[in-house]
Amino acid sequence: MSDCFVLYLLLTCMKKKTSGADKFTNNTITKEECLMKFLLICDFREGLKNYASFTETNLYNDHPSTKNICEIIDSIKSLGYECEYFGGIPELIHAIENKQQFNDCIFLNFTDGMDEKYSRVQAPALLDILNVPYSGSGVFASVLMNNKHFCKQALVNSSIPMPKSCIVNSILPLNENYIKDWVFPLFVK
């Protein structure tokens, strides 16, 4: 599910808090009644490593640009909702270290984390530590989607049909008996 679609669902399906209670009513909230503030989390493309080796003027990495994030914030504000840029992974770490509390807000997670292995799990883990609501996948799903083999095993375990596969590497050598009935075409990755 794309981040834009998640944002659409949040803005169109958000429920109004009842006065003096932490329960939600079944009434869809109007922009005048919005009690929640949207805090957007993002590590900007411009502040991270450039993977475009062909020229230094073209910037490439998996992160959104400052311009794109500002456009998203402006779009949310144009609908009448309160929204601001919170920061990225360093700001989340700082919030945890300072034991910050966040009430009546939801974090819109647009960050892929910093440039490290399993970086996409960083924001969900930190947001869980802060115990705040946020958009996007949780920690388990974020970790699982970074390992194709384990993700496939989870899907098979949920009775979702998947093509046959096996892992072959220096630790797990090819088991020819396992693949003897496989037919072409085959994909090797």
Side-chain angles (χ1 to χ4, degrees), residues 57-96:
T57 59
N58 290 326
L59 180 61
Y60 176 77
N61 58 41
D62 287 338
H63 304 274
S65 69
T66 304
K67 179 181 180 253
N68 291 141
I69 294 302
C70 289
E71 289 169 349
I72 291 169
I73 291 170
D74 290 344
S75 294
I76 294 170
K77 286 180 175 180
S78 76
L79 295 171
Y81 296 99
E82 190 177 349
C83 183
E84 67 183 52
Y85 174 70
F86 176 79
I89 299 300
E91 288 78 14
L92 287 173
I93 293 168
H94 183 73
I96 291 167

Side-chain angles (χ1 to χ4, degrees), residues 20-169:
D22 287 331
K23 296 181 180 178
F24 290 92
T25 68
N26 288 327
N27 302 322
T28 302
I29 195 165
T30 65
K31 61 184 175 185
E32 292 81 21
E33 299 171 312
C34 183
L35 300 174
M36 287 196 135
K37 179 180 192 174
F38 293 98
L39 298 175
L40 202 136
I41 303 167
C42 178
D43 293 287
F44 295 121
R45 171 181 297 172
E46 295 85 355
L48 299 167
K49 183 177 178 179
N50 183 5
Y51 292 104
S53 58
F54 51 90
T55 174
E56 291 190 22
T57 59
N58 290 326
L59 180 61
Y60 176 77
N61 58 41
D62 287 338
H63 304 274
S65 69
T66 304
K67 179 181 180 253
N68 291 141
I69 294 302
C70 289
E71 289 169 349
I72 291 169
I73 291 170
D74 290 344
S75 294
I76 294 170
K77 286 180 175 180
S78 76
L79 295 171
Y81 296 99
E82 190 177 349
C83 183
E84 67 183 52
Y85 174 70
F86 176 79
I89 299 300
E91 288 78 14
L92 287 173
I93 293 168
H94 183 73
I96 291 167
E97 289 171 347
N98 290 307
K99 298 179 181 6
Q100 277 185 268
Q101 297 292 311
F102 298 94
N103 299 311
D104 293 329
C105 65
I106 186 167
F107 285 80
L108 302 178
N109 182 11
F110 281 83
T111 186
D112 288 329
M114 304 304 286
D115 282 346
E116 293 145 9
K117 198 169 189 172
Y118 290 100
S119 61
R120 288 192 173 136
V121 76
Q122 293 169 355
L126 295 170
L127 291 163
D128 280 352
I129 292 168
L130 285 169
N131 196 30
V132 295
Y134 59 91
S135 68
S137 299
V139 175
F140 180 74
S142 297
V143 170
L144 193 60
M145 74 178 182
N146 280 294
N147 186 305
K148 290 180 183 165
H149 179 72
F150 293 145
C151 184
K152 182 180 171 185
Q153 295 306 312
L155 294 171
V156 167
N157 194 46
S158 297
S159 301
I160 298 173
M162 298 297 297
K164 295 177 184 177
S165 69
C166 67
I167 293 179
V168 177
N169 58 31

